[in-house]
Amino acid sequence: MKLDIETLVDLYRDMVLIRAFEFGLEREFKKGNVPGMLHTGVGQEATQAALAAHLTATDAFFPDHRCHGINALAQEKYQGDGERIMAELFGRATGVCSGKGGSLHSANPKVGNFGDNAVEGSYMATVLGVALAYQMRGQPNVACCIIGDGTVGRGEFHESLNMAAIWKLPVLYACVNNGYAISMPVGKGHASPDIVDLARGYGMPCVIVDGNDIELAYAEVQKAIEYIRAGNGPYFLEFKTWRWQGLFSGEFRPPEEVKYWKEERDPMRLAREKIVANSAMTAEDLKRIEAEVKAEIDQWINFAKGSPMPDPAKATADVYVGW
Amino acid sequence: MKLDIETLVDLYRDMVLIRAFEFGLEREFKKGNVPGMLHTGVGQEATQAALAAHLTATDAFFPDHRCHGINALAQEKYQGDGERIMAELFGRATGVCSGKGGSLHSANPKVGNFGDNAVEGSYMATVLGVALAYQMRGQPNVACCIIGDGTVGRGEFHESLNMAAIWKLPVLYACVNNGYAISMPVGKGHASPDIVDLARGYGMPCVIVDGNDIELAYAEVQKAIEYIRAGNGPYFLEFKTWRWQGLFSGEFRPPEEVKYWKEERDPMRLAREKIVANSAMTAEDLKRIEAEVKAEIDQWINFAKGSPMPDPAKATADVYVGW
Amino acid sequence: MTQTSARTRTFVQALNEALDIAMERDPNVYMLGEDIGEMGGDFGVTRGLWAKYGEARVRDTPLSEAAIIGASVGSAMMGMRPVAEIMFADFIGECYDQLVNNAAKMHYMFDGQFKAPIVVRTACGGGFGGGPHHSQSVEGWFLNVPGIVLVAPATPADAKGLLLASIENDNPIIFLEHKALYRVKGDVPEGHYTTPLRRAAIARQGKDVTVVATMKMVHEALAAATELEKEGIDVEVVDLRTIRPYDAETVLESVRKTGRAVVASEAPKIGGLAAELSATIGEECFHDLKAPVLRVAGLDTPIPFSLVLEKYILPGKEQVIAGICSVMK
Amino acid sequence: MTQTSARTRTFVQALNEALDIAMERDPNVYMLGEDIGEMGGDFGVTRGLWAKYGEARVRDTPLSEAAIIGASVGSAMMGMRPVAEIMFADFIGECYDQLVNNAAKMHYMFDGQFKAPIVVRTACGGGFGGGPHHSQSVEGWFLNVPGIVLVAPATPADAKGLLLASIENDNPIIFLEHKALYRVKGDVPEGHYTTPLRRAAIARQGKDVTVVATMKMVHEALAAATELEKEGIDVEVVDLRTIRPYDAETVLESVRKTGRAVVASEAPKIGGLAAELSATIGEECFHDLKAPVLRVAGLDTPIPFSLVLEKYILPGKEQVIAGICSVMK
Ligand SMILES: Cc1ncc(C[n+]2csc(CCOP(=O)(O)OP(=O)(O)O)c2C)c(N)n1
Ligand SMILES: Cc1ncc(C[n+]2csc(CCOP(=O)(O)OP(=O)(O)O)c2C)c(N)n1
Ligand SMILES: [Mg+2]
Ligand SMILES: [Mg+2]
């Protein structure tokens, strides 16, 4: 399947936004303006843009710790205020969770964002219930759970896939296999470097996707979501990709590997080449898009920085509902 | 592989012991002499006898809640006092755990019995450590973890198989698939009625065994244990069998199913027929064995009943080691 | 609390009625757990409901405690009202993360955008030779977890009213059912009614000493009170009913009146509910207390199998009586 | 406790030394956890040990917290001495069952035939914007669990001595490392020594009021004491060091002397360690107390992300001062 050029350019713009968001955030984090911890999605833009493109506001997704991009895209697309994701990361009152959640807990049900859970893998169980609600109510929606390759180590992986399978729940498992869990190579942490090998026994379709090729990723997500919406039950996608962020303490991966992924397999570059090869657009046109998006992200950062801190007394609100 | 007749008769005697033990226990339980809950292994004698036959006192096994038989066989074989398993079930001071453990927690490291854990599946994690100790010390031993089909629902199933696989640990997974977890049919509770389908992704040998045929079960356990002792890593056996005990509230399975398993697939009958067909032994000879064993079990029950209750003050001992 | 004529029912029947009424009234209510369907649950609490409401709303699950709670929470985020059964409370350690890090924090960390109105019914408590993994009192595991609600009925009428109130409440609730109470009988009003959460009950009025208790210990306290009445000691028994967040006002008011307090709990003494109650009473009633607040609780051990051992470590009427006599000195 | 000349070391270095010494002395000691190998752990506590002892004894694991503890317990049953790392204490809910139902009960339920000498090191505590799942104080989750040992150092010297003592001890131990202390420096004796478990330390002698604290709160209490000295209030600070089972004697002796007690804990107030200490002091020192025992603790909420919110709910020096002033009135 070949993508029409408008869609491809739109997706490219989404990818640019993700990268600009992450780079801007990282810069502010290093300056000490963003508290807590930070995991960025740089390098995984194609996978993220493909998922975001197909999920509607009435679907649900559970973003992982590198999903600022998906969160921002959904927030911008459905509410027109992507800057509130940025503000949340800065711990501001204008953030989507008024500063209570931060990077690891930015949610907004209005855009289908059901929030990360920093205990990796725990929402593999939660996603079952969202899907069950769709099923019991006859809604043709999808509950998507985005997990890293490392997260697959958790017992909930098994409980979740099994229950989704026996109840034929509308769950899309999107495993972002970037080759490592912190420092642990996927092939050392799991019985197979291909996560699909661990998923196949549950009888759902299991597909490996080139997560750095936006065209392929877009098509595979589309297929999966159509399958699920048609009531066929769960579906498992494994995106092979790579994260640019090393460890907090620096790069630990072999230089050839770093070079390969950052240069030859850079999803941005691959997308740019496709666009230029298949349309009248030039590298200059794409640069203009990049500049536009970057300017917007700078505004978001300014919005976040200029936003007030939450009222401390709010810290005791909402522990219990109604009490 | 055909078993020599002496081995087969020995195994038959073991099976007889298991059944007599369970029936005797059940009778006493109904009379109110055995506290707590009771799950019996009747119907699963061939599987249990096959496992017990190949495990040595320096191997380790984690018995499930229907493994009184294995526990008693090991206790009798290596310590000559199988009656202490019975006494434990009666909550007596002479029991293997002095009455602190009961049916669900009868252990004795001297015979390789590492004890049940009534939180089903939890010892799927524990078994890893026992196997790891063997491996780190270069001992050619096997850590065997006996689980029901229902227990496979637990997340530890995945964490355990994965870790055993990546570390090539000497673990024998013995899944006793008797078709049900309490009232839940295996095919309804799991993505596949064949548990091996869920295990295969971890890359270890996965074999389905007729758990009611002592000859086949014995041979398959032998193969698995040889493979593990040779340092090849974990092995997964799924025994297809059936438990005679229904629910506490009575029988819930279709009458044809009950009839099929109790009559045509009774492991005792199948073993008897094999012996009589392949040796000079007669049905009368086998009856004699049965009578002998039953007399011994009656003695065990008398021993248990005649044993003193534990000293109540012992209830506060051994909470902490050395404190 | 609308209630019509009362009839005698067991604790199990009262719970079953509550579930039936809740399922009947609200299509968002559904149940999930191991063997709760055709079999009606290990203790018969869900009996008949599978036949009446069908297997979409009375869902048998595999032995996947984390998935049971996860599925509950996820569906609750969507507006459903799941009632999960964890067969024995001892197994709740398997889904501890799901309850503590997910259900309990959901509403707070997402700034009120999600709710997690789940009810997790579970059978707790000892006394029947169930051994270390089928007998525990688990409220202590959750006492220090803001966001969690712990409900613990002592009578059939409260079992029904508190369960209905719990299902209708918007918070994540662990609903403790003491196994020794399942066969207890009592008057149970017909039809729909709720017993308020976070409200203790005065199970017995008295003026000399306050005993604060929950579940089975309420009955032990009442038995102790009856016995001590003969000796001229007039015992007030407060049944806490909701353990977290609890009704400190009723407790403190009673202690201020009597000037003496015994807190009775089946769980081990160290670090349990009894400690929390004692600390709060000590803080708030310092000048009213005529004697130290005394904890009557389980000994600091796992729960052994043999009945003679179990009886030795679990508190009963005798221990409550001894405790009361000690603070009356 | 044999100790040679002291040098200045960080808390992290002190822990690292303890691990190195334990690995060196006993071939049964090994470590397992996420990223503890070549990377040296998320906080650098295991740095250098993988290179020194090899990957068989410094084992990187997948994100399988239950398997990590299970493997630890199983190997401990065989006589090994595993030191597991659970990266953040918040994740310990994932292996709660393994700790509570298996490790804690193993020795007891099998009548002393097995031991489970495991040490589970884990980073706890808030104050750095880690949010609800990277900031919790988890000791309250285990307070009501007989069989579990909770160790909680406050200084680099104790970090080393208590970790060595824990590894050499035969019980299952959860070893709490407060993240805010990792970079704290202090004198640390060279070589092998142990600091006794179940023994509190008098971190500061005083005669007017006792503050009982653990981990970071010990430092807040000491800072409060320094400040109140100017006002003529002489504060005694007891550093509990082992939380379960704890050294009630030292606590009670101090309170009997001062007649006033503040119990300080970072965890939420309700149902936590502060409650246990208050209850015990109330029971045992009733006649010595000149004022009610006061709890200074976290507010009853999850831990919010934004630093202004987090600061609002976590207790610090100011709250300890206010608490002391209140009991001095
Ligand atoms: C249950 C749990 N264990 C450990 C962690 C600490 N941790 C955070 S991210 C991470 C690695 C996750 O790897 P992966 O899922 O592959 O995601 P990636 O960072 O590679 O995108 C770990 C171990 C956690 N958050 N939760
Ligand atoms: C974690 C956990 N969940 C539930 C139970 C209650 N329970 C005891 S046995 C059992 C069924 C186990 O089925 P299976 O593993 O197939 O063993 P079988 O009884 O069929 O031999 C259940 C649900 C338990 N003991 N532990
Ligand atoms: Mg990864
Ligand atoms: Mg079964």
Side-chain angles (χ1 to χ4, degrees), chain C residues 26 33 53 70-71 78 83 121 149-150 163 170 181 214 219 259 300 310 326-327:
Chain C
D26 183 352
Y53 296 103
M78 299 290 293
V83 183
R121 296 182 34 253
V149 179
L150 291 164
L163 184 51
D170 276 342
L181 301 180
T214 59
H219 300 271
D300 201 47
E310 188 182 22
S326 146
V327 301

Side-chain angles (χ1 to χ4, degrees), chain B residues 6 26 32 44 64 72 158 169-170 212 214 219 238 244 291:
Chain B
E6 288 74 33
E26 210 169 34
Q44 306 178 175
D64 81 5
H158 168 65
L169 297 176
N212 284 22
I214 183 62
E238 174 179 357
W244 284 27

Side-chain angles (χ1 to χ4, degrees), chain D residues 154-269:
Chain D
T155 68
D158 279 354
K160 181 174 170 183
L162 288 170
L163 184 50
L164 278 164
S166 296
I167 295 171
E168 294 168 19
N169 187 275
D170 276 342
N171 290 288
I173 294 177
I174 299 173
F175 192 89
L176 299 168
E177 302 172 2
H178 197 295
K179 293 185 284 290
L181 300 181
Y182 273 143
R183 305 291 148 204
V184 164
K185 288 184 180 165
D187 282 349
V188 174
E190 230 178 323
H192 177 269
Y193 66 95
T194 60
T195 304
L197 302 183
R198 298 206 297 161
R199 205 71 62 79
I202 306 292
R204 184 188 197 280
Q205 296 218 330
K207 61 178 183 0
D208 294 331
V209 54
T210 300
V211 180
V212 188
T214 59
M215 299 185 274
K216 176 162 173 282
M217 290 309 290
V218 172
H219 300 271
E220 305 290 345
L222 289 171
T226 305
E227 203 143 317
L228 289 171
E229 198 172 8
K230 301 171 207 150
E231 328 241 319
I233 302 178
D234 191 14
V235 180
E236 177 144 311
V237 179
V238 177
D239 173 2
L240 211 52
R241 300 201 296 197
T242 299
I243 292 178
R244 178 178 238 285
Y246 67 92
D247 178 1
E249 292 70 37
T250 299
V251 171
L252 299 175
E253 196 178 302
S254 173
V255 176
R256 284 195 190 108
K257 178 178 77 175
T258 62
R260 299 175 201 273
V262 168
V263 285
S265 169
E266 185 174 312
K269 173 174 153 180

Side-chain angles (χ1 to χ4, degrees), chain A residues 91 99-100 105 117-118 153-154 183, chain D residues 35 63-64 94 129 133 305-306:
Chain A
K100 271 185 173 166
H105 312 274
N117 180 316
R154 288 284 313 284
S183 70
Chain D
D35 306 291
L63 275 84
S64 305
E94 291 303 339
H133 292 157
F305 168 69
S306 190

Side-chain angles (χ1 to χ4, degrees), chain A residues 115-137:
Chain A
D116 188 11
N117 180 316
V119 185
E120 296 283 341
S122 290
Y123 58 60
M124 295 201 78
T126 326
V127 74
L128 297 166
V130 177
L132 181 61
Y134 288 145
Q135 186 188 66
M136 289 179 82
R137 291 168 173 170

Side-chain angles (χ1 to χ4, degrees), chain B residues 91 99-100 105 117-118 153-154 183, chain C residues 35 63-64 94 129 133 305-306:
Chain B
K100 271 186 174 166
H105 313 274
N117 179 317
R154 290 283 314 285
S183 69
Chain C
D35 307 291
L63 275 83
S64 305
E94 290 303 339
H133 292 158
F305 167 70
S306 190

Side-chain angles (χ1 to χ4, degrees), chain A residues 270-292:
Chain A
L270 297 178
R272 270 195 306 266
E273 288 174 358
K274 262 189 211 198
I275 295 173
V276 173
N278 292 294
S279 75
M281 287 187 87
T282 64
E284 297 313 302
D285 297 330
L286 296 179
K287 283 243 164 65
R288 211 170 321 110
I289 293 181
E290 282 160 46
E292 270 169 43

Side-chain angles (χ1 to χ4, degrees), chain A residues 19 42-45 177-180 209-213 239-244 253-270:
Chain A
R19 185 163 292 188
V42 176
Q44 305 177 176
E45 294 86 353
N177 185 347
N178 58 18
Y180 297 88
V209 187
D210 179 344
N212 283 22
D213 182 322
F239 299 90
K240 299 282 194 187
T241 181
W242 196 83
R243 59 173 151 87
W244 284 27
R253 296 161 297 192
E256 324 79 70
E257 180 179 326
V258 174
K259 193 167 145 59
Y260 171 73
W261 284 98
K262 283 200 179 172
E263 295 176 10
E264 287 174 54
R265 302 289 303 146
D266 177 10
M268 312 304 293
R269 173 182 148 183
L270 297 178

